[in-house]
Structure formats: C-alpha cells, structure tokens
Amino acid sequence: MTATPAAAYLVKGEDHALVAQALAKVLAELTAEAGGMALEDHSGDEPDVPALIDAALTPPFLADRRILVVRDLGRARAEDVDRLVAYLAAPSDTASLVLASTAAVPARLVEAVRAVGHVVDASAPAGRGRGQWLAARLKEAPVRLDARAAAVLTEHLGEQVGRLDGILTGLAAAYGDATVGPEELEPFLGEAGAGAPWELTDAIDSGDVARALAALHRLTEGGNRHPLVVLASLHRHYLAMLRLDGAEVSSDQEAAALLGIRSTYPAAKARAQAARLKGAGIGRAIVLLADADLDLKGRTALPEQTVLEVLVARLARLAPAVRPRPTKRARASSR
C-alpha cells in the first residue's frame, strides 16, 4: 500500500473470516498513515450508497481524510452500484472508500475501483493449491507448529481456512514462541472443517471405503452440504465416466474436449477410472445413484445421512482397490 491513501479499496472473497481479516489489515494500514483520519462505518442491512457518496464529497471535519467503510457491499442494489461507478470516475481527494463483499462484485465496479485504488482478493487457493497457501501462512504465524501438528491442522481445517488465524492467535497466547505439537493443538481445533468434493470422489475411486465415508462426513457435517448437493456432485463424476466409456479418445486433451472442460486433470482422472470400472461398473454406479436419489426424495424412511453412507460404501466397493507398485526388493523375492 502506498504512503498516500487511494480513493478506493475493494476486499472480496467467499470466506467471511478471510474477508474480515483482509479488511482489518487494510484499515490498520490506512489508519497508520500520516495525518488525521476520520473512520466512518456505513455498513448495514442495505448500504445507504447515496449517503456514503455524500459523506465522501463532504470535506472532513477536524481530520485530513475520511475513511468510509462498507462491509456488506453484496447487499447493494444495481442502481447503487452504478452510483459508485459514477462517483469513482471522479472521486473526492479527501476520502477513501473501503468496500468489502463475500458476494460476487459486478465487473464494472471492480474495474472502477482498480482504476483509482486497490482490489484485494481475500480468497484462498482452491483444491491442491490450498496446501501451499496454508504452509506459507503457518510459516508466517506467531507460533511454531511441528510437522505433525501442521499436518493435523491442515487436515482438520479442510476448506474452512478462515478459522486459521483464530486458532493460531489462541495458540500464540497460550504457548508464546514455543513449538506446538498435536497434543497442545487439539484443544483449540473444535469441529472439523469441510472437505472438498474431490476428496470424496478420489477416495471412492481408490476403493477405500473408510476414507470415502470420512470424506462424506466432512462434506455433510463440517461443510453443511445438503445430501442432494453431494448426490449431484457424485452424479456429475460418474456421468463424465459414462460419456467417456466407449468413446474414441486417445488422449487426455481429447477427453477434456469431449467433456467440455478446459483442464485435462479431471478429464484424465475420469478417463482412467472409466477404464478401470468399464461399462458394467459404470452402469451399476448409475443405478445406485438413481436409487439413492429416489430414497433421498422419500421412497425410504432411512435418514438421509444413512442413504448417502450406503451409497458411498457401495460405490467404493465397485472400484478395485488401488495397490501400491511393488518395490524392487518385492519383485526380486517373488522370482
């Protein structure tokens, strides 16, 4: 952030905790700048954008600059977004707007802020990039975690990485700069965070029933995903295999093109699993999914979680367990 405050800042992301943390950092840096600052919070059930703009155009009293905060920009109406874009075309030189949103922000407003200020993306990387992001955050943490504790924390958080700072702050308050192991970490963890959908499908594809059920529980309990949402994710997974089964594709690029996706990574996984299950296994999976859909919609009196557990266990049993490749010593001893 430059020494001279910008006319506008936008903090955006999907995780409320991460957005709140990034917003607090922006405000801390702004209020630490030289000169007097008047901080005004214009957040509410529905941001009063006309009043916000009036405040921005009014010279500050007993201060050099106004900092005008809106924490819930996603609740603004379309016409208010237009008003903000129009204001940012010629913003006041004595005010800084600090806008935050966990909802999608219209592109025209993002570009208007970027033209006169800074856009802060508070999102954590998706998928496997999240591990590197967490490792970097742990390296900068006010408390040190040993390798076992770091692994436990990463696994426990799942997709709910917004809880990271709170856990680390609590650990630092309790243990200072001492190295923390799993035993010291455990009381600070609370309920396990949500897992990613691909963790469930990867476990099913590997034929690991126990790991698949654990991944399912993290989706439905830690992630609060509705059973029908989980079922839809599984349906898409097997539909991709069904489309590839018997198709004349000779590469992952061709598979991705057939599935209508850009990345070859999920296409490669679907192609490999389709080859392992073959037509009969994929067909059986589709039948299991259809039965579970009817059961979730009232055909059975079984609890929804039980229906999903039975489905996931049966799907995992369809997949031949992935065995590790034999080592040179094992191959030699078998001769």
Side-chain angles (χ1 to χ4, degrees):
M1 192 174 292
T2 60
T4 301
Y9 301 82
L10 171 62
V11 181
K12 62 186 185 71
E14 297 179 356
D15 188 290
H16 289 271
L18 291 178
V19 169
Q21 292 160 18
L23 175 62
K25 183 177 180 181
V26 169
L27 292 177
E29 293 181 3
L30 275 175
T31 53
E33 300 288 356
M37 297 286 182
L39 182 63
E40 302 176 15
D41 197 322
H42 288 256
S43 306
D45 291 338
E46 183 177 297
D48 189 346
V49 171
L52 175 73
I53 294 175
D54 284 345
L57 295 173
T58 302
F61 180 66
L62 298 180
D64 298 326
R65 192 175 192 85
R66 291 179 186 269
I67 302 175
L68 307 170
V69 184
V70 175
R71 303 173 187 272
D72 42 17
L73 182 65
R75 299 178 181 177
R77 295 173 296 180
E79 55 266 34
D80 287 334
V81 172
D82 291 337
R83 290 188 179 100
L84 284 171
V85 171
Y87 164 78
L88 292 171
S92 168
D93 58 3
T94 59
S96 292
L97 301 188
V98 183
L99 313 172
S101 178
T102 55
V105 180
R108 64 186 187 280
L109 180 55
V110 175
E111 293 307 314
V113 171
R114 186 174 283 119
V116 297
H118 305 280
V119 176
V120 179
D121 189 348
S123 302
R128 289 166 174 78
R130 184 167 286 131
Q132 296 178 345
W133 182 87
L134 280 169
R137 296 292 292 268
L138 290 176
K139 187 175 181 180
E140 300 169 354
V143 63
R144 295 192 301 275
L145 275 68
D146 66 22
R148 292 181 305 144
V152 169
L153 180 57
T154 300
E155 172 68 19
H156 182 87
L157 289 174
E159 291 190 316
Q160 296 179 351
V161 292
R163 298 170 55 198
L164 178 64
D165 278 8
I167 293 174
L168 294 177
T169 299
L171 288 171
Y175 298 108
D177 59 359
T179 299
V180 173
E183 296 79 11
E184 294 81 14
L185 171 65
E186 195 276 333
F188 292 85
L189 292 179
E191 184 181 357
W198 57 261
E199 292 177 350
L200 172 60
T201 53
D202 280 0
I204 290 174
D205 290 349
S206 71
D208 190 331
V209 175
R211 185 160 67 92
L213 289 174
L216 171 66
H217 292 158
R218 295 191 65 175
L219 282 174
T220 57
E221 297 168 11
N224 292 320
R225 281 182 170 84
H226 192 278
L228 288 175
V229 173
V230 176
L231 186 66
S233 177
L234 292 172
H235 184 268
R236 287 192 299 270
H237 184 63
Y238 283 93
L239 182 60
M241 296 181 207
L242 185 62
R243 294 180 64 185
L244 291 172
D245 182 48
E248 296 182 358
V249 294
S250 58
S251 68
D252 296 338
Q253 289 77 11
E254 291 182 4
L258 178 63
L259 296 176
I261 57 179
R262 293 184 179 181
S263 174
T264 59
Y265 181 72
K269 291 202 300 183
R271 184 176 173 222
Q273 190 64 6
R276 295 178 66 217
L277 288 182
K278 305 187 184 305
I282 299 171
R284 176 59 180 157
I286 297 297
V287 171
L288 291 173
L289 289 164
D291 285 342
D293 182 67
L294 292 174
D295 290 342
L296 288 174
K297 292 176 179 176
R299 186 178 68 174
T300 179
L302 287 174
E304 293 177 333
Q305 185 71 16
T306 302
V307 171
L308 284 182
E309 289 171 351
V310 171
L311 171 65
V312 165
R314 287 175 174 171
L315 290 174
R317 291 193 184 105
L318 289 176
V322 177
R323 295 181 174 85
R325 297 180 63 184
T327 61
K328 291 182 179 178
R329 178 178 296 179
R331 289 197 297 268
S333 63
S334 64
R335 293 173 182 169

